[in-house]
């Protein structure tokens, strides 16, 4: 499994979340609609995944637009000006283009002229990978303010005639502003892991340098996501539970010390099994997979935003986040929450009034 990364004894500079935001498309695709598209049923989907609906990007929406709008909200919550951003990181497996990086497009549209920018592709674990990277850069003193975004438009890489995969995925983005703090709290542990031997279990075979897109690959559907669901399920349950346990170890925390567990929202059955394996009861697990499905790198930051808006996180709470996905990759992060959670409600109310 991955190797935990705990703060060095005596280190006072820590990384924390000071702002957060999310953006999901307006279009909802329900299970009832999928019944008209493929041979499936609402009962089958709900019983096996817990998913009832998902959001689908319109022709005018993309990974970039979702990432941009989530980022704007996060900056507003943090009360951070774009000129104060040192770095923009976008975690995604569905970038706007093969190149340039989607992060560069976000950096430009925000006017963050001082910031560097790059993308991370660790699939559904990408956002938590980004947390680990940003944490290290902030703790080292090289960066003070980092904008981290998880964004994916999975509807663009899903085969909507494949009932085994198309029912699972949706589109969305979440963003956080990460800043340095010398007070108590902040990110106390990160875990990163990978098992490349499992790469064929969850893959987009065509479109890269190994198999460039051609008429033949398009006709065969090789540019769509392909997944061995049974094997990915077994990996996900084990990796999520173990990563959560590793995140708690070394800092003297046990399952009873975790106020909220935010796992990747891939499948309700996976979430329940992983929580049980980590020893965390479901009343302390946040779930919104029923409304959004698997939004890949957007999954955890979207869930984080909704948990904050619902009052599930307060200052001083300990939150553990775990992601897993293609690679096979997994990542976890633990944070002692420091920000004032009332800020999101104020921003949301102001946006509603302006509308």
């Amino acid at each position: 499994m991955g190797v935990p990364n705990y703060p060095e004894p005596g280190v006072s500079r820590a990384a924390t979340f000071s702002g957060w935001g999310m953006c999901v498309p307006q279009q909802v695709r329900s299970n009832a609609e999928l019944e008209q598209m493929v041979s499936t049923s609402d009962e089958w989907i709900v019983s096996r995944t817990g998913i009832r609906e998902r959001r689908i990007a319109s022709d005018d929406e993309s990974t970039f637009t979702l990432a941009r709008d989530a980022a704007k909200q996060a900056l507003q919550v943090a009360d951070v000006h774009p000129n104060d951003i040192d770095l923009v990181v976008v975690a995604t497996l569905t970038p706007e283009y093969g190149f340039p990086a989607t992060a560069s497009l976000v950096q430009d549209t925000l006017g963050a002229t001082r910031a560097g920018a790059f993308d991370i592709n660790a699939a559904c674990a990408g956002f938590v990978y980004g947390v680990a990277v940003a944490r290290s850069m902030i703790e080292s003193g090289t960066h003070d303010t980092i904008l981290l975004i998880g964004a994916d438009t999975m509807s663009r890489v899903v085969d909507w005639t494949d009932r085994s995969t198309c029912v699972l995925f949706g589109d969305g983005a979440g963003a956080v502003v990460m800043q340095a703090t010398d007070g108590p709290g902040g990110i106390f542990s990160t875990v990163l892991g990978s098992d490349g031997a499992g790469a064929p279990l969850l893959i987009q075979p065509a479109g890269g340098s190994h198999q460039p897109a051609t008429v033949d690959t398009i006709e065969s559907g090789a540019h769509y996501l392909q997944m061995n669901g049974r094997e990915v399920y077994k990996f996900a349950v084990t990796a999520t539970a173990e990563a959560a346990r590793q995140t708690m170890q070394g800092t003297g925390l046990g399952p009873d010390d975790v106020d909220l567990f935010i796992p990747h929202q891939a499948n309700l059955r996976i979430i329940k099994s992983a929580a049980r394996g980590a020893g965390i009861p479901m009343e302390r697990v946040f779930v919104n997979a029923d409304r959004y499905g698997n939004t890949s790198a957007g999954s955890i930051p979207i869930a984080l935003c909704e948990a904050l808006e619902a009052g599930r996180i307060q200052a001083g709470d300990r939150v553990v986040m775990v992601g897993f996905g293609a690679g096979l990759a997994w990542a976890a992060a633990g944070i002692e929450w420091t920000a004032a959670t009332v800020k999101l409600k104020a921003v949301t109310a102001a946006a509603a009034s302006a509308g």
Side-chain angles (χ1 to χ4, degrees):
M1 297 299 293
V3 177
N5 181 358
Y6 303 110
E8 294 294 330
V11 173
S12 60
R13 182 181 171 97
T16 194
F17 295 164
S18 60
W20 46 90
M22 60 174 279
C23 179
V24 294
Q26 291 295 313
Q27 181 183 352
V28 176
R29 183 165 294 170
S30 67
N31 290 347
E33 291 176 83
L34 287 176
E35 290 177 347
Q36 308 304 311
M37 298 170 61
V38 293
S39 178
T40 190
S41 69
D42 176 70
E43 187 279 330
W44 188 93
I45 298 170
V46 173
S47 66
R48 286 162 176 78
T49 72
I51 299 169
R52 298 183 181 276
E53 60 185 35
R54 68 286 297 147
R55 301 298 181 95
I56 304 297
S58 68
D59 291 342
D60 296 328
E61 294 173 311
S62 64
T63 297
F64 161 67
T65 66
L66 297 175
R68 175 199 64 199
D69 292 349
K72 287 181 177 179
Q73 188 181 83
L75 291 174
Q76 189 175 4
V77 170
D79 194 22
V80 166
H81 191 278
N83 284 342
D84 295 325
I85 301 172
D86 300 314
L87 181 66
V88 178
V89 180
V90 173
T92 183
L93 62 78
T94 56
E96 195 77 359
Y97 308 106
F99 57 88
T102 303
S104 293
L105 306 180
V106 174
Q107 175 260 334
D108 174 65
T109 196
L110 294 177
T113 55
R114 292 182 50 254
F118 64 86
D119 289 356
I120 289 177
N121 183 354
C124 302
F127 175 77
V128 188
Y129 260 77
V131 169
V133 171
R135 173 205 180 193
S136 296
M137 300 177 89
I138 289 172
E139 287 185 354
S140 72
T142 61
H143 294 71
D144 293 323
T145 302
I146 297 177
L147 174 63
L148 171 63
I149 307 162
D152 271 305
T153 44
M154 297 301 294
S155 63
R156 305 282 162 84
V157 297
V158 167
D159 181 355
W160 289 100
T161 67
D162 178 8
R163 68 174 184 174
S164 68
T165 57
C166 72
V167 303
L168 302 173
F169 295 96
D171 304 331
V176 295
V177 176
M178 295 180 63
Q179 292 186 288
T181 177
D182 57 4
I187 297 167
F188 56 78
S189 174
T190 52
V191 174
L192 301 180
S194 177
D195 178 10
L201 300 177
L202 183 52
I203 192 170
Q204 184 185 24
S209 61
H210 173 71
Q211 194 176 4
T214 65
V215 172
D216 290 340
T217 65
I218 293 172
E219 288 181 347
S220 67
H223 58 295
Y224 290 131
L225 173 153
Q226 296 180 9
M227 182 173 68
N228 182 324
R230 184 182 300 275
E231 293 302 316
V232 170
Y233 180 94
K234 291 191 293 186
F235 150 74
V237 170
T238 301
T240 303
E242 179 62 22
R245 288 194 294 265
Q246 288 186 352
T247 301
M248 294 182 284
Q249 291 170 357
T251 53
L253 298 181
D256 291 341
D257 299 310
V258 176
D259 296 291
L260 191 65
F261 181 41
I262 304 179
H264 172 44
Q265 304 291 308
N267 179 309
L268 183 58
R269 292 169 63 200
I270 293 174
I271 291 171
K272 287 182 175 179
S273 296
R276 185 166 55 249
I280 301 172
M282 283 302 295
E283 58 263 27
R284 285 190 273 123
V285 179
F286 190 83
V287 179
N288 65 358
D290 57 318
R291 291 180 291 113
Y292 300 117
N294 182 347
T295 55
S296 189
S299 164
I300 289 175
I302 290 172
L304 175 67
C305 288
E306 292 207 326
L308 286 160
E309 191 165 16
R312 297 284 301 274
I313 303 174
Q314 303 297 328
D317 283 355
R318 295 186 178 97
V319 180
V320 172
M321 302 171 285
V322 182
F324 61 86
L328 297 167
W330 61 92
I335 180 170
E336 183 175 332
W337 197 260
T338 61
T341 57
V342 295
K343 292 192 291 184
L344 180 62
K345 291 183 180 293
V347 169
T348 303
S353 298

